[in-house]
């Protein structure tokens, strides 16, 4: 039996990068970087293979999304979404992975390719974390070196009725790609343990 549990409020500064994101930036920093924090329930998942503009809110109880951009350019994102129950969270996970298959290949590279002419594809690998988790990478075909290179990497983890997503490019996560994936896994593990402090989530 699937029960609708009590709505959860995400406390201020609960996300791992939230204190830094809320700290005032100096004038020099404002020219180089920006932080955005959103509590919108209809914010799409931070890993978004089909480019959905908004998410349905019927099954969501709370959400917080943090995005960090720099002039490098580089990107890093953290997102926590609490669903009404574990069944809804499992369904959201399935839909995300289905999107990665359905919209996995872009023959012209748009909107991800810098030159708008490179093929892209999403690569998904299940990993052990929380109740279920998957590493997702957006790869672009490098015509010069004739190989697939990562443009974006992320991890989505479900723990109880919560989905946690961490994503970024290699500029923010670190080179080489293996180190970036380890960074994502380690960070997601911290939140997967922390989120159980919220009532009725795990």
């Amino acid at each position: 039996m699937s029960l609708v549990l009590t709505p959860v409020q995400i406390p201020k500064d609960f996300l791992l990068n939230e204190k830094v994101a809320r700290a005032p930036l100096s004038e020099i920093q404002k020219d180089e970087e920006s932080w955005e924090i959103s509590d919108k329930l209809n914010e799409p998942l931070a890993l978004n293979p089909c480019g959905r503009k908004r998410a349905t809110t019927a099954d969501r109880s709370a959400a917080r999304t943090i995005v960090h951009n720099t002039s490098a350019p580089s990107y890093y994102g953290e997102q926590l979404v609490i669903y009404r129950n574990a069944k809804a969270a499992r369904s959201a996970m399935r839909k995300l992975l289905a999107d990665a298959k359905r919209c996995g290949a872009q023959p012209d590279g748009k909107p991800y390719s810098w030159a708008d002419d490179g093929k892209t594809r999403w690569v998904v690998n299940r990993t052990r974390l929380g109740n279920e988790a998957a590493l997702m990478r957006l790869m672009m075909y490098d015509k010069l070196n004739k190989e697939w290179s990562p443009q974006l990497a992320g991890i989505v983890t479900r723990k109880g009725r919560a989905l946690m997503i961490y994503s970024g490019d290699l500029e923010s996560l670190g080179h080489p790609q293996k180190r970036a994936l380890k960074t994502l896994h380690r960070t997601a593990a911290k939140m997967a343990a922390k989120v159980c402090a919220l009532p009725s989530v795990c």
Side-chain angles (χ1 to χ4, degrees):
M1 182 171 64
S2 177
L3 298 176
V4 177
L5 301 176
T6 304
V8 173
Q9 296 293 323
I10 301 174
K12 184 179 179 181
D13 295 338
F14 187 77
L15 273 64
L16 301 181
N17 296 284
E18 197 168 338
K19 286 186 178 180
V20 175
R22 293 187 186 278
L25 296 176
S26 68
E27 291 303 315
I28 294 177
Q29 286 176 313
K30 288 179 182 178
D31 291 334
E32 299 293 333
E33 62 180 312
S34 66
W35 289 93
E36 296 177 13
I37 303 174
S38 171
D39 285 345
K40 292 180 179 178
L41 277 181
N42 67 349
E43 195 78 35
L45 291 179
L47 291 170
N48 191 5
C50 293
R52 299 184 186 277
K53 293 183 179 180
R54 61 184 60 85
T56 57
T57 61
D59 287 334
R60 291 186 171 189
S61 178
R64 183 162 298 154
T65 305
I66 297 176
V67 174
H68 181 229
N69 287 295
T70 76
S71 59
S74 68
Y75 156 84
Y76 183 80
E78 179 180 17
Q79 186 177 54
L80 173 63
V81 182
I82 310 295
Y83 290 84
R84 293 192 303 166
N85 49 47
K87 181 180 178 181
R90 285 194 298 268
S91 178
M93 182 82 166
R94 284 197 304 269
K95 289 178 181 177
L96 173 58
L97 299 184
D99 275 359
K101 288 185 178 181
R102 187 165 65 87
C103 302
Q106 300 291 332
D108 60 358
K110 296 179 181 179
Y112 306 108
S113 168
W114 294 111
D116 290 335
D117 62 357
K119 295 180 180 180
T120 62
R121 68 184 185 191
W122 283 90
V123 176
V124 178
N125 298 104
R126 289 282 192 166
T127 186
R128 292 185 178 182
L129 189 61
N131 296 123
E132 55 181 327
L135 287 163
M136 299 176 61
R137 289 170 292 161
L138 177 67
M139 312 291 287
M140 187 178 75
Y141 188 69
D142 182 345
K143 292 182 178 180
L144 180 63
N145 296 307
K146 296 183 179 181
E147 64 181 10
W148 289 92
S149 59
Q151 298 298 299
L152 177 73
I155 186 169
V156 53
T157 306
R158 183 183 70 83
K159 190 70 178 286
R161 58 174 173 147
L163 279 192
M164 297 144 277
I165 296 179
Y166 291 88
S167 59
D169 52 28
L170 295 190
E171 189 69 29
S172 63
L173 296 173
H175 297 266
Q177 186 182 172
K178 285 185 178 180
R179 180 184 298 173
L181 297 181
K182 286 182 179 180
T183 297
L184 287 170
H185 198 282
R186 182 172 60 251
T187 305
K190 289 181 181 179
M191 181 53 75
K194 186 177 181 180
V195 77
C196 289
L198 298 178
S200 304
V201 167
C202 297

